[in-house]
Amino acid sequence: MIIKVDDLTGPEIAQLIMDHLHSMTLHSPPESIHALNISGLKKPGITFWSAWEGEELVGCGALKELDSHHGELKSMKTAPNHLRKGVAKAILQHIEEQAKGRGYKRLSLETGSMEAFVPAKKLYERFGFVYCGPFGDYVEDPNSVFMTKVL
């Protein structure tokens, strides 16, 4: 698997982000969806990576700088045909290494509180993330779960 910085212009990544946003609408009310679209992911302070096996896109993830010591994990998504193959683990490890390399002391994330998000929460727990309150611009929301990890 190759993980590389992605400029978000390819059709494969556009489709995966669209799938990600669509799945959020299936499981979360509109006011509780914090996933970013392509233009949101292109904003300054966000680095986006895609993961590939040969010519096939297998997943993606992003890192948003909250401040010089705190990053936020965004847009973690595994392609449907590659679930349970270690893609999310590899992307999460890559992003965590990048965050450490930038000198971040903390990495945080927001995910859904519903049943559909249990696999994601279990992954983050395995990587040492713990539950916390809202961070950045987030507010308490029964549909959101916040997690953080000291690096």
Side-chain angles (χ1 to χ4, degrees):
M1 179 184 323
I2 303 282
I3 299 173
K4 62 183 181 179
V5 172
D6 195 299
D7 65 5
L8 294 142
T9 59
E12 300 94 345
I13 203 63
Q15 183 62 52
L16 189 59
I17 295 299
M18 195 172 0
D19 290 349
H20 181 57
L21 293 170
H22 177 70
S23 67
M24 296 299 107
T25 65
L26 297 176
H27 303 290
S28 300
E31 66 275 8
S32 297
I33 297 174
H34 303 289
L36 299 173
N37 61 20
I38 296 272
S39 63
L41 289 165
K42 288 183 176 182
K43 290 189 176 177
I46 298 177
T47 306
F48 184 86
W49 290 273
S50 56
W52 299 81
E53 286 185 354
E55 299 295 313
E56 190 172 2
L57 177 64
V58 297
C60 64
L63 179 59
K64 177 181 178 181
E65 181 169 295
L66 298 176
D67 63 42
S68 62
H69 299 290
H70 191 183
E72 180 183 0
L73 188 64
K74 297 292 292 181
S75 299
M76 286 282 296
K77 177 71 175 173
T78 300
N81 293 344
H82 294 278
L83 296 171
R84 315 264 184 277
K85 295 181 181 178
V87 173
K89 176 183 173 184
I91 294 169
L92 183 55
Q93 286 174 321
H94 181 81
I95 292 174
E96 188 172 316
E97 289 169 12
Q98 295 294 314
K100 288 177 182 175
R102 293 179 183 187
Y104 293 171
K105 305 296 182 209
R106 179 175 300 279
L107 188 58
S108 299
L109 63 94
E110 178 276 338
T111 191
S113 63
M114 297 70 132
E115 186 69 24
F117 298 96
V118 167
K121 291 183 283 191
K122 286 185 178 183
L123 172 72
Y124 301 133
E125 288 170 358
R126 281 194 309 273
F127 270 80
F129 284 83
V130 296
Y131 293 93
C132 64
F135 59 90
D137 294 331
Y138 293 106
V139 296
E140 277 298 335
D141 179 348
N143 300 301
S144 288
V145 169
F146 305 98
M147 301 178 83
T148 195
K149 179 179 181 177
V150 174
L151 300 176

